[in-house]
Amino acid sequence: VRAGSSGGQAGLTHLKTFKLTIAYDGAGFVGWQRQTNGPSIQGLLEEILSELDNRDVAVAGASRTDAGVHALKQVASLTLERTIDAAALVRALNAKLPEAIRVVDAAEVAAAFHARFDSRAKTYRYRIWNAEVMSPFERGRAWHVPAPRLDVEAMDQAARLFEGHHDFAAFQAVGASAQSTERELFSSRVLAPAGPLITYEVRGAGFLRHMVRTLAGTLVEVGRGRQTTAWASEVVASRDRSKAGRTAPAEGLFLVEIEYQP
Amino acid sequence: VRAGSSGGQAGLTHLKTFKLTIAYDGAGFVGWQRQTNGPSIQGLLEEILSELDNRDVAVAGASRTDAGVHALKQVASLTLERTIDAAALVRALNAKLPEAIRVVDAAEVAAAFHARFDSRAKTYRYRIWNAEVMSPFERGRAWHVPAPRLDVEAMDQAARLFEGHHDFAAFQAVGASAQSTERELFSSRVLAPAGPLITYEVRGAGFLRHMVRTLAGTLVEVGRGRQTTAWASEVVASRDRSKAGRTAPAEGLFLVEIEYQP
């Protein structure tokens, strides 16, 4: 009995769980999540890993970024039966992935680790190119908002009103149905602009679908002087999607970082 | 006679000379200069302007950037018969140019202005991504030099040896035949790195063909520890192309600025 049990365990002892850190240019993908209508980052990773491991491998991502949204450090978790070290896994994946997706790091982690459920905070940046003429180098990586110059101070004041625990129902994608629309934002700031580039950075425990893009669209209304800073609070209080600004385009959104308990 | 002369002058009084400032992502172009084997920035500008002015319009560029080389602020000069103001010219050009090329500014200047002959200084940057894994956002915009970490201090020391008046024959493209290979570099520095991004910035009165890319390739030899800092001076003194480093790839090179007498 002991020998049999030991044999059964032997297979399990080979299982390795990995945490991947992944950068991608979201243009040309249907988003993180596997879908039938085009290539996804999750789908490409699962295909390569399944071939590598000779069985179906599921990859869990920390953030389900939409089509066109970019990531500097998306985090994903997966389990392999095959014996491979982290450095070799990085090389094997990058050899098969398109250049728009790069695995920048891999680390072996505890079997229980789950990229999405274990995340403690996520940071996103929304980038706006605020000049009459778009930069060729910002195409697909920033929202082009032509002149006049946005009022960045007013935008930052409004952004700070989003900090803390609120019901963000007004900032949820139409048709989305999260169980609760309450979320906590640890910080919400418009950074000091770098020339025409305005960056909104937001860090929170979790986000609703399209939430960052709708926050950004709302801040641009304030920046344009169409709405006051205080209006941003009124939009939150309304819990009414029709009161908020437009959903800013996907191409300006970057997933920056996912944080975990040390 | 007076009326006739005045009539002849009337046509000339309509001539307007413009200085254009142009940004472009060089990927997909055969370079600045019009060529038969593919689209060039000069060629596209001349086509649009000739249609606008109903005659052949020649566009003179300050720097003849090679295929794949980028520009933040290329400068070009041209003369139009049609009455148009600078702001309308910017809009007319951007409406027809591909998004990879943007006219960021236009200004009416003296008829004698020539973008190339009147330039006093040009600044270029050469960008290197020095990490095991390439960033998806630096594809086509930096030379990927994987680990080990380059010695940036040694590179900067070597770069400074290029400053001043030298015969740069060792850094000229094979087959190029400039009348003189002497050039003056006002500054030649490796900037403090930003993470894996190493930037070499060089400012001079003029440059030989492939000179910045060959200087960059030579600096990487020093950064890799294959050559000493002092070797950079020996390469200059040799006047021998075979002694210098490789010509770094075009995609890392950016034309940053052209300066003129105020």
Side-chain angles (χ1 to χ4, degrees):
Chain A
V1 170
R2 209 165 171 240
S5 155
S6 156
Q9 296 285 325
L12 282 173
T13 55
H14 282 108
L15 286 179
K16 281 188 172 186
T17 298
F18 290 97
K19 175 188 176 191
L20 300 181
T21 307
I22 307 153
Y24 48 86
D25 179 335
F29 298 104
V30 297
W32 165 263
Q33 205 160 15
R34 180 187 278 280
Q35 283 177 60
T36 53
N37 61 330
S40 65
I41 297 95
Q42 182 188 41
L44 288 167
L45 286 166
E46 289 183 343
E47 271 170 43
I48 298 166
L49 289 163
S50 297
E51 202 179 307
L52 186 79
D53 217 33
N54 263 317
R55 57 174 198 114
D56 284 351
V57 175
V59 175
S63 166
R64 284 173 290 192
T65 57
D66 284 322
V69 173
H70 313 291
L72 299 180
K73 290 182 179 180
Q74 168 77 285
V75 174
S77 54
L78 60 106
T79 298
L80 295 181
E81 289 185 353
R82 185 189 161 129
T83 303
I84 186 168
D85 69 25
L89 182 59
V90 171
R91 286 193 298 271
L93 285 166
N94 285 333
K96 299 218 170 177
L97 285 166
E99 288 187 347
I101 308 174
R102 293 288 92 179
V103 176
V104 289
D105 191 45
E108 209 184 324
V109 289
F113 177 77
H114 190 284
R116 187 161 152 235
F117 302 139
D118 292 348
S119 83
R120 290 284 176 270
K122 294 173 188 166
T123 302
Y124 291 90
R125 280 190 205 128
Y126 195 90
R127 303 169 80 246
I128 296 161
W129 188 259
N130 180 214
E132 194 52 44
V133 178
M134 186 59 177
S135 162
F137 304 101
E138 294 294 344
R139 280 176 302 156
R141 298 180 187 177
W143 179 17
H144 183 206
V145 178
R149 187 70 185 160
L150 297 174
D151 183 341
V152 177
E153 288 233 354
M155 290 171 73
D156 183 47
Q157 280 166 25
R160 288 167 191 251
L161 299 175
F162 299 140
E163 293 183 350
H165 192 104
H166 302 283
D167 185 333
F168 286 102
F171 300 90
Q172 181 171 230
V174 175
S177 54
Q179 285 193 322
S180 160
T181 49
E182 293 184 25
R183 292 291 183 276
E184 185 177 3
L185 296 188
F186 306 133
S187 93
S188 167
R189 303 285 166 97
V190 176
L191 309 182
L197 186 69
I198 298 170
T199 302
Y200 169 52
E201 186 173 282
V202 60
R203 178 172 169 267
F207 295 85
L208 301 166
R209 181 131 201 262
H210 288 185
M211 181 169 154
V212 180
R213 290 163 58 188
T214 311
L215 292 171
T218 300
L219 293 177
V220 166
E221 290 298 294
V222 173
R224 279 176 165 144
R226 291 184 190 162
Q227 300 286 354
T228 63
T229 296
W231 166 79
S233 285
E234 292 165 28
V235 174
V236 177
S238 76
R239 306 185 61 249
D240 178 355
R241 175 66 189 86
S242 72
K243 295 280 189 283
R246 62 169 286 194
T247 308
E251 63 206 43
L253 185 59
F254 283 69
L255 168 60
V256 172
E257 197 184 2
I258 314 281
E259 291 166 68
Y260 297 89
Q261 208 90 45
Chain B
V1 170
R2 208 165 173 243
S5 154
S6 154
Q9 295 285 326
L12 282 174
T13 57
H14 282 109
L15 287 179
K16 281 187 172 186
T17 299
F18 289 97
K19 175 189 175 190
L20 300 182
T21 307
I22 308 153
Y24 48 86
D25 180 334
F29 298 105
V30 296
W32 165 263
Q33 204 161 15
R34 179 187 279 279
Q35 283 177 59
T36 53
N37 62 329
S40 64
I41 297 96
Q42 181 190 40
L44 288 167
L45 286 166
E46 289 183 342
E47 272 171 40
I48 298 166
L49 289 163
S50 298
E51 202 179 307
L52 187 80
D53 216 33
N54 264 315
R55 58 174 197 114
D56 283 351
V57 174
V59 175
S63 166
R64 285 174 291 189
T65 57
D66 284 322
V69 173
H70 314 290
L72 299 178
K73 289 183 180 180
Q74 168 75 285
V75 174
S77 54
L78 60 107
T79 298
L80 295 181
E81 288 185 353
R82 185 189 162 131
T83 304
I84 187 168
D85 69 24
L89 181 59
V90 170
R91 285 194 298 273
L93 285 166
N94 284 333
K96 299 219 168 176
L97 285 166
E99 289 186 348
I101 308 174
R102 292 289 93 180
V103 176
V104 289
D105 191 45
E108 208 184 326
V109 288
F113 177 78
H114 189 284
R116 189 163 150 234
F117 302 139
D118 293 348
S119 83
R120 290 284 176 270
K122 295 172 186 166
T123 302
Y124 292 90
R125 279 191 206 127
Y126 196 91
R127 302 169 81 247
I128 295 161
W129 189 259
N130 181 213
E132 195 51 44
V133 178
M134 186 59 178
S135 162
F137 303 103
E138 295 293 344
R139 278 175 304 155
R141 297 178 187 179
W143 180 17
H144 183 207
V145 178
R149 187 70 185 159
L150 297 175
D151 183 341
V152 177
E153 288 232 353
M155 290 171 72
D156 183 46
Q157 280 166 24
R160 287 166 192 250
L161 299 175
F162 299 140
E163 294 184 350
H165 192 103
H166 302 283
D167 185 334
F168 286 102
F171 300 91
Q172 180 172 229
V174 174
S177 54
Q179 285 192 320
S180 160
T181 50
E182 293 184 23
R183 292 291 184 276
E184 187 178 0
L185 296 188
F186 306 134
S187 92
S188 168
R189 304 285 166 98
V190 176
L191 310 181
L197 186 69
I198 297 170
T199 302
Y200 169 52
E201 187 174 281
V202 59
R203 178 173 169 268
F207 294 85
L208 300 167
R209 181 129 200 263
H210 287 184
M211 181 170 153
V212 180
R213 290 162 58 190
T214 310
L215 291 171
T218 300
L219 293 176
V220 166
E221 289 298 294
V222 173
R224 280 176 164 144
R226 291 184 190 162
Q227 299 286 355
T228 63
T229 297
W231 166 79
S233 286
E234 292 165 26
V235 174
V236 177
S238 77
R239 304 184 60 251
D240 177 355
R241 175 66 190 87
S242 73
K243 295 280 190 282
R246 63 169 284 193
T247 307
E251 64 206 43
L253 184 59
F254 283 70
L255 167 62
V256 172
E257 198 184 1
I258 313 281
E259 291 167 66
Y260 296 90
Q261 207 91 46

